Amino acid sequence: MAAESYLQAVEVSASQFFEIWRHYDSDGNGYMDGKELQNFIQELQQARTKAGLGLTPEMKKFVDQFAQTTDGKIGIVELAQILPTEENFLLFFRCQQLKSSEDFMQTWRKYDSDHSGFIDAEELKSFLKDLLQKANKQIDDSKLSEYTDIMLKMFDENNDGKLELTEMARLLPVQENFLIKFQGVKMCAKEFNKAFDTFDSDGNGYIDENELDVLLKDLCEKNKTVLDINNLAQYKKNIMALSDGGKLYRTELALILCAGEN
């Protein structure tokens, strides 16, 4: 299969990287885990041996870490560190702006320029172009369009041609992506609006830091198996990065806590 043969490459192109990811993330949940991860490790070792190539130091470290465990999990960012991916494409997964959830939220706020709650293709292209320029890398527009298209294919789970916050957050390392935790506590629109109105205690139309603190404590108490109250300060810091001068409006908080209309 093509995806397996790409593991033999000295350098993996952006399109090959996407095919590898799509093949091994067989259930499409945005991660390689369980049997998917074990299959990848086994076939990576076989492919490198077949090509007469040893494991790179990055590959060896990865194999040593995950080969003997069944509860490991990696995302796209971790895969990009393992495979010898083409340099310019790899930059997107080593971006300093995306090393922490707080930085990611601030970046999201900047590039979701129309505050639609989505990053569309043009906004994503602008984001990728800025990352390359900050790294002093120049590429032509056709290559930038190719990268944009591949990134959309990798992250756009519902194939609507744009990225939601949780989709784009897969650019974060798995351990840093706090939004994974909040997937399990999202509310329907009716419940979310009721909660927002309840915790907007002064009725001014936004949640401030103190009101968010109360809301998060309530969520942690009701969802102890999912959310750790010891991480409350970090949750609050990450979410407040979406705020407008300390004012967290309904549409911004909905990105974290609202699952939809039903």
Side-chain angles (χ1 to χ4, degrees), residues 133-151:
Q133 286 178 340
K134 283 177 178 144
N136 296 314
K137 300 289 183 181
Q138 298 295 324
I139 63 172
D140 60 41
D141 194 65
S142 63
K143 193 69 173 175
L144 184 59
S145 294
E146 178 194 340
Y147 286 165
T148 303
D149 182 57
I150 290 170
M151 295 290 265

Side-chain angles (χ1 to χ4, degrees), residues 182 199 211-221 227 229 232 235-237 239 257:
F182 281 81
F199 290 99
E211 290 167 334
L212 181 62
D213 189 71
V214 177
L215 187 159
L216 289 175
K217 282 179 181 174
D218 183 69
L219 279 177
C220 288
E221 284 298 319
L227 300 178
I229 200 164
L232 188 145
Y235 296 154
K236 182 168 68 173
K237 191 176 181 183
I239 295 172
L257 295 179

Side-chain angles (χ1 to χ4, degrees), residues 101-119:
S101 285
E102 183 184 3
D103 292 340
F104 169 76
M105 299 299 242
Q106 292 171 345
T107 300
W108 172 273
R109 182 168 175 76
K110 176 181 177 182
Y111 289 96
D112 179 21
S113 53
D114 56 4
H115 298 286
S116 63
F118 302 94
I119 298 280

Side-chain angles (χ1 to χ4, degrees), residues 150-210:
I150 290 170
M151 295 290 265
L152 271 175
K153 286 178 180 176
M154 277 200 292
F155 295 114
D156 182 16
E157 295 172 1
N158 58 3
N159 297 311
D160 61 358
K162 52 193 177 184
L163 298 182
E164 300 173 12
L165 181 71
T166 51
E167 291 173 333
M168 192 166 169
R170 285 163 57 199
L171 273 169
L172 284 166
V174 169
Q175 295 303 317
E176 184 56 42
N177 188 354
F178 88 108
L179 289 167
I180 294 172
K181 297 284 188 185
F182 281 81
Q183 287 294 93
V185 300
K186 282 194 170 188
M187 316 168 206
C188 71
K190 185 177 179 180
E191 290 173 330
F192 168 76
N193 286 323
K194 182 179 179 182
F196 188 94
D197 293 338
T198 298
F199 290 99
D200 176 20
S201 54
D202 53 12
N204 59 6
Y206 61 82
I207 299 282
D208 62 27
E209 193 166 346
N210 291 330

Side-chain angles (χ1 to χ4, degrees), residues 5-24:
S5 67
Y6 296 152
L7 297 177
Q8 302 174 21
V10 175
E11 180 178 87
V12 176
S13 71
S15 59
Q16 289 171 341
F17 180 89
F18 169 63
E19 291 298 332
I20 291 168
W21 177 259
R22 188 169 64 172
H23 175 67
Y24 289 102

